[in-house]
Amino acid sequence: MPTVSKTSSAVLVAAAFGIEVARILQAERYHRRKLALHAAEMHQAWLSDVASDETLRAAWALPGKEASSDDYALLVHCNRQVSLLSAKFRAGLLDRQALRVQARWLMKREIGRTYWRRLGGFREQEAQDRADRVFNHILADEYVTFSDPNVVAA
């Protein structure tokens, strides 16, 4: 029976090690994605509470912005939609083109444009990584498109 050379053994060990590292990195990405989706789920529940509770709306109202409680509730609901799109984009459930379609749908509506006009800057300030910046860029592009009075929302 032939013996395996030291070089062959080293190659096999290195390959096995590389496979294990790749598996660990993939598991870590999956875990981070799962945590992000769980955080988004908790955020959606909190936004639902704020939108439906007058006391919470008053406590979390936009500082320095005059808006009725009902108008603010609509902004909170719009934030739910934007946050859902963000979570789906981050999780890979929406690619850039699909996100653009959803952003266009949102910005065709006055509430979407109002939300972005008032809170888009905050979303840009809190962006943590490339995914957040790409997301914000796509929403900002669609906001600009539909804020132009010459664009007709179809």
Side-chain angles (χ1 to χ4, degrees):
M1 184 181 285
T3 60
V4 178
S5 73
K6 289 183 181 181
T7 303
S8 297
S9 295
V11 169
L12 289 173
V13 168
F17 179 76
I19 290 169
E20 184 61 19
V21 168
R23 188 192 66 73
I24 290 169
L25 290 174
Q26 184 178 22
E28 183 180 331
R29 276 192 302 273
Y30 173 79
H31 184 67
R32 273 188 274 129
R33 183 178 293 165
K34 193 172 177 180
L35 287 175
L37 289 173
H38 182 63
E41 182 181 0
M42 290 187 307
H43 187 247
Q44 290 289 316
W46 180 75
L47 289 173
S48 179
D49 290 346
V50 171
S52 63
D53 184 303
E54 180 71 35
T55 303
L56 288 174
R57 278 198 308 273
W60 291 99
L62 298 171
K65 304 285 185 183
E66 296 299 321
S68 73
S69 181
D70 289 340
D71 289 343
Y72 184 60
L74 289 174
L75 289 175
V76 172
H77 281 297
C78 190
N79 189 12
R80 289 183 75 190
Q81 179 66 26
V82 171
S83 296
L84 175 62
L85 292 175
S86 176
K88 287 173 71 174
F89 181 68
R90 178 169 289 284
L93 300 174
L94 291 174
D95 62 13
R96 288 178 189 212
Q97 182 56 37
L99 174 59
R100 190 165 294 282
V101 169
Q102 293 292 313
R104 188 170 298 136
W105 178 88
L106 181 66
M107 294 306 169
K108 284 181 180 180
R109 287 148 182 80
E110 183 61 36
I111 188 63
R113 293 187 305 274
T114 298
Y115 171 85
W116 197 257
R117 182 173 50 254
R118 293 176 109 179
L119 295 163
F122 177 72
R123 289 192 78 88
E124 290 172 5
Q125 287 175 1
E126 70 175 354
Q128 294 182 4
D129 57 19
R130 185 174 182 272
D132 288 342
R133 288 187 295 277
V134 168
F135 177 85
N136 290 338
H137 180 75
I138 290 171
L139 265 69
D141 278 355
E142 295 303 322
Y143 168 77
V144 168
T145 296
F146 288 100
S147 293
D148 183 343
N150 297 319
V151 174
V152 177

